[in-house]
């Protein structure tokens, strides 16, 4: 029904040169590639910025800092139909967990199912530790094999949340605007297939980057047999309206805007962020994030649901974008309180106010504080927090 409007020259792609997410094999911490481990996990601007933003209570700051400086815990999710997932989980627990615990090595932590997502598992051990510990060798081989068969995927726990909140059903039309490499697309597809092998609904998975679309099709979707997914390669901010067979316009029941962002919540996975991060990274993305989210909202059915998500804790990338979207919608959109969904998930409320800093941590309270000509294009009104009255109507604490 839908196809990419751009020509793909897949022959140009060098085999094996794409970063592969959702795999267990990767060379990031292999001997000879020690750059990753040697990165100094400090960035004074980052600490100062997050102290100022109040996105979590200040007394948790040391805990926050220590968590970001620790290795990323390993998490993975079982895929496929309900029955197969149950069977595989049973097999993993029976074949390996007992033996691992009997060995009594205190350095080894058996993966535990997430309280808010029972098909997903996490261990505080790093991937390198899981891969190299002799007691875990058999479990590791099992995970590698099942990942290659498409029965499980490695995915960060937080990345699993947006599809769970969208909760599409089998008759839903779902638009995933920034889909590659596709962990969330797979989750969405599983949901529409959950009770129906041939669902009426479908997922349109879009990404502007052709190479990443290739990765989405050939690495992620390859193992997922479905006729309910189409991949498009478009700028999400200009995503076109799609006509149905009768000439009507398709409006989506669910939209995911998992937008491009500074990724400053992924420091443990992308260590170069420690060296490079400044508050300006977010400022430069703000307009694009709003444009993508706005296009998503325009494609939504009346009564439909959209999730806007980033890999950043920065209110400039989160609350400021949502606030502008609500302002623009003039009452057609409202924020939904999701606190009763996934009740076991530990979370903080969104914030109503925040601070705008530039690259050098200069604070801007309004457009009047701009002294440099070049900053006039960067610092725009929508970066600033809403007035108290506006904030009360917006319910930004639901974010
Ligand atoms: C955070 S990643 C998405 C991760 C993906 N949702 C997942 O769960 O695997 C952001 C994606 O947005 C894509 N992107 C960046 N700018 C875009 C645009 N203007 N339109 C569509 N996609 C865009 C990037 O290529 C990247 O793949």
């Amino acid at each position: 029904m839908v196809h990419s409007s751009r020509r793909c020259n897949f022959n140009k792609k060098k085999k094996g040169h794409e970063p592969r997410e959702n795999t267990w094999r990767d060379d990031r911490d292999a001997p000879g590639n020690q750059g990753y481990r040697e990165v100094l996990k400090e960035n004074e601007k980052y600490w100062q910025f997050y102290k100022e933003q109040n996105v979590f209570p200040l007394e948790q700051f040391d805990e926050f800092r220590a968590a970001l400086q620790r290795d990323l815990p390993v998490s993975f999710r079982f895929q496929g139909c309900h029955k197969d997932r149950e069977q595989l989980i049973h097999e993993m627990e029976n074949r390996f967990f007992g033996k691992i615990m009997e060995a009594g090595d205190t350095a080894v932590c058996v993966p535990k199912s997430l309280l808010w997502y029972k098909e997903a598992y996490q261990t505080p051990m790093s991937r390198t530790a899981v891969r190299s510990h002799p007691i875990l060798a058999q479990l590791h081989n099992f995970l590698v094999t099942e990942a290659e068969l498409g029965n499980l995927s490695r995915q960060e726990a937080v990345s699993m949340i947006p599809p769970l909140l969208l909760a599409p059903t089998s008759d839903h039309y779902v638009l995933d605007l920034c889909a590659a490499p596709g962990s969330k697309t797979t989750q969405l597809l599983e949901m529409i297939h959950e009770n129906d092998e041939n669902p009426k609904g479908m997922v349109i998975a879009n990404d502007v980057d052709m190479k990443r679309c290739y990765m989405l099709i050939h690495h992620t979707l390859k193992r997922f047999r479905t006729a309910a997914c189409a991949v498009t390669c478009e700028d999400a901010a200009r995503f076109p309206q799609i006509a149905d067979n009768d000439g009507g316009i398709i409006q989506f029941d669910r939209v995911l805007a998992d937008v491009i962002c500074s990724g400053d919540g992924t420091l443990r996975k992308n260590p170069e962020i420690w060296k490079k991060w400044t508050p300006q990274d977010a400022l430069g993305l703000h307009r694009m994030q709003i444009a993508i989210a706005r296009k998503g909202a325009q494609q939504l059915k009346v009564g439909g649901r959209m999730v806007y998500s980033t890999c950043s804790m920065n209110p400039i990338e989160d609350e400021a974008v949502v606030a502008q979207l609500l302002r623009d919608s003039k009452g057609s959109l409202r924020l939904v309180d999701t606190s009763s969904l996934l009740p076991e998930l530990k979370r903080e409320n969104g914030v109503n106010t925040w601070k705008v800093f530039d690259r050098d941590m200069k604070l801007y309270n309004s457009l009047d504080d701009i002294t440099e000509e070049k900053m006039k294009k960067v610092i725009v009104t929508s970066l600033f927090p809403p007035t108290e009255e506006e904030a009360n109507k917006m319910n930004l604490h639901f974010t």
Side-chain angles (χ1 to χ4, degrees):
M1 184 168 56
V2 186
H3 57 85
S4 162
S5 65
R6 295 183 189 175
R7 274 166 183 260
C8 302
N9 185 352
F10 290 137
N11 296 333
K12 279 189 179 163
K13 184 179 175 293
K14 285 188 191 155
K15 246 187 158 182
H17 279 228
E18 279 302 322
R20 291 179 57 183
E21 301 203 13
N22 299 341
T23 61
W24 286 82
R25 294 187 200 286
D26 103 30
D27 301 329
R28 209 169 49 171
D29 345 89
N33 187 10
Q34 295 305 318
Y36 173 62
R37 297 228 141 254
E38 283 163 14
V39 168
L40 181 67
K41 294 176 178 175
E42 286 294 349
N43 182 318
E44 267 322 307
K45 284 181 189 166
Y46 189 94
W47 303 135
Q48 194 190 337
F49 181 85
Y50 276 105
K51 271 185 185 163
E52 296 281 352
Q53 295 298 11
N54 274 330
V55 287
F56 50 82
L58 210 53
E59 56 271 22
Q60 286 176 16
F61 183 79
D62 289 342
E63 213 181 312
F64 167 73
R65 188 179 174 132
L68 288 182
Q69 290 173 331
R70 273 198 297 274
D71 283 337
L72 184 67
V74 164
S75 53
F76 54 93
R77 188 173 66 75
F78 284 91
Q79 303 187 139
C81 82
H82 183 71
K83 238 167 118 188
D84 294 347
R85 282 196 311 252
E86 299 273 292
Q87 220 170 10
L88 214 56
I89 290 174
H90 190 70
E91 186 183 339
M92 173 183 74
E93 295 194 346
N94 282 342
R95 272 179 64 191
F96 306 109
F97 285 14
K99 273 193 214 158
I100 294 171
M101 283 191 287
E102 271 167 30
D105 185 331
T106 50
V108 172
C109 302
V110 173
K112 281 198 181 129
S113 142
L114 296 177
L115 289 174
W116 45 273
Y117 198 5
K118 68 177 172 41
E119 287 96 355
Y121 280 72
Q122 190 172 52
T123 163
M125 295 175 74
S126 72
R127 190 179 33 178
T128 322
V130 169
R131 207 168 35 191
S132 55
H133 203 294
I135 292 173
L136 294 177
Q138 284 181 334
L139 172 64
H140 182 251
N141 285 344
F142 169 84
L143 296 175
V144 169
T145 307
E146 294 306 329
E148 275 167 10
L149 291 170
N151 295 329
L152 69 83
S153 74
R154 189 164 59 75
Q155 186 178 352
E156 304 323 328
V158 282
S159 149
M160 301 172 194
I161 300 170
L164 294 178
L165 296 180
L166 269 182
T169 55
S170 66
D171 55 346
H172 278 162
Y173 274 62
V174 183
L175 176 60
D176 186 354
L177 282 167
C178 303
S183 341
K184 299 183 190 74
T185 310
T186 320
Q187 257 181 291
L188 294 167
L189 281 167
E190 270 169 40
M191 287 169 169
I192 67 167
H193 277 279
E194 184 70 34
N195 298 312
D196 200 339
E197 249 179 66
N198 296 304
K200 276 202 226 127
M202 69 175 300
V203 176
I204 294 190
N206 176 71
D207 203 280
V208 75
D209 185 322
M210 207 184 287
K211 281 188 180 168
R212 289 175 68 90
C213 283
Y214 179 96
M215 190 157 63
L216 171 67
I217 296 167
H218 292 275
H219 293 320
T220 313
L221 296 176
K222 184 173 81 176
R223 300 183 184 96
F224 198 101
R225 270 171 281 136
T226 178
C229 185
V231 175
T232 60
C233 183
E234 291 287 345
D235 175 357
R238 295 159 188 255
F239 195 82
Q241 289 190 316
I242 299 172
D244 62 19
N245 287 339
D246 307 321
I249 298 295
I250 294 183
Q251 297 287 103
F252 290 87
D253 302 275
R254 298 286 185 263
V255 172
L256 176 59
D258 188 38
V259 299
I260 177 169
C261 67
S262 68
D264 74 5
T266 66
L267 285 159
R268 294 179 293 181
K269 195 162 73 167
N270 299 308
E272 72 282 4
I273 297 175
W274 287 110
K275 288 188 264 177
K276 291 196 212 143
W277 185 92
T278 81
Q280 193 116 349
D281 301 350
L283 303 182
L285 292 165
H286 179 70
R287 276 194 273 214
M288 173 58 82
Q289 290 168 336
I290 291 178
I292 295 176
R294 188 181 288 140
K295 184 52 78 178
Q298 285 166 359
Q299 300 269 354
L300 203 56
K301 239 181 210 170
V302 172
R305 186 184 302 171
M306 170 161 125
V307 168
Y308 170 83
S309 52
T310 70
C311 308
S312 166
M313 298 153 288
N314 186 347
I316 300 284
E317 300 191 60
D318 299 332
E319 282 89 337
V321 174
V322 173
Q324 186 57 26
L325 204 59
L326 292 171
R327 236 176 248 127
D328 286 350
S329 82
K330 301 190 169 55
S332 320
L333 294 176
R334 72 176 168 84
L335 264 183
V336 177
D337 179 4
T338 56
S339 55
S340 60
L341 304 173
L342 313 178
E344 288 95 353
L345 178 68
K346 279 192 197 162
R347 59 185 103 191
E348 283 293 339
N349 283 342
V351 291
N352 282 322
T353 190
W354 53 86
K355 292 178 182 169
V356 180
F357 294 100
D358 71 6
R359 184 189 308 278
D360 305 313
M361 289 301 289
K362 175 181 165 189
L363 177 66
Y364 293 78
N365 289 308
S366 74
L367 296 183
D368 297 339
D369 293 342
I370 304 175
T371 49
E372 283 178 272
E373 197 55 33
K374 65 174 186 200
M375 291 309 283
K376 284 193 179 150
K377 284 198 180 135
V378 181
I379 309 281
V380 292
T381 317
S382 52
L383 287 171
F384 294 100
T387 59
E388 207 179 319
E389 191 195 340
E390 213 187 5
N392 287 338
K393 287 188 203 146
M394 286 178 170
N395 289 320
L396 288 179
H397 56 282
F398 288 164
T399 52

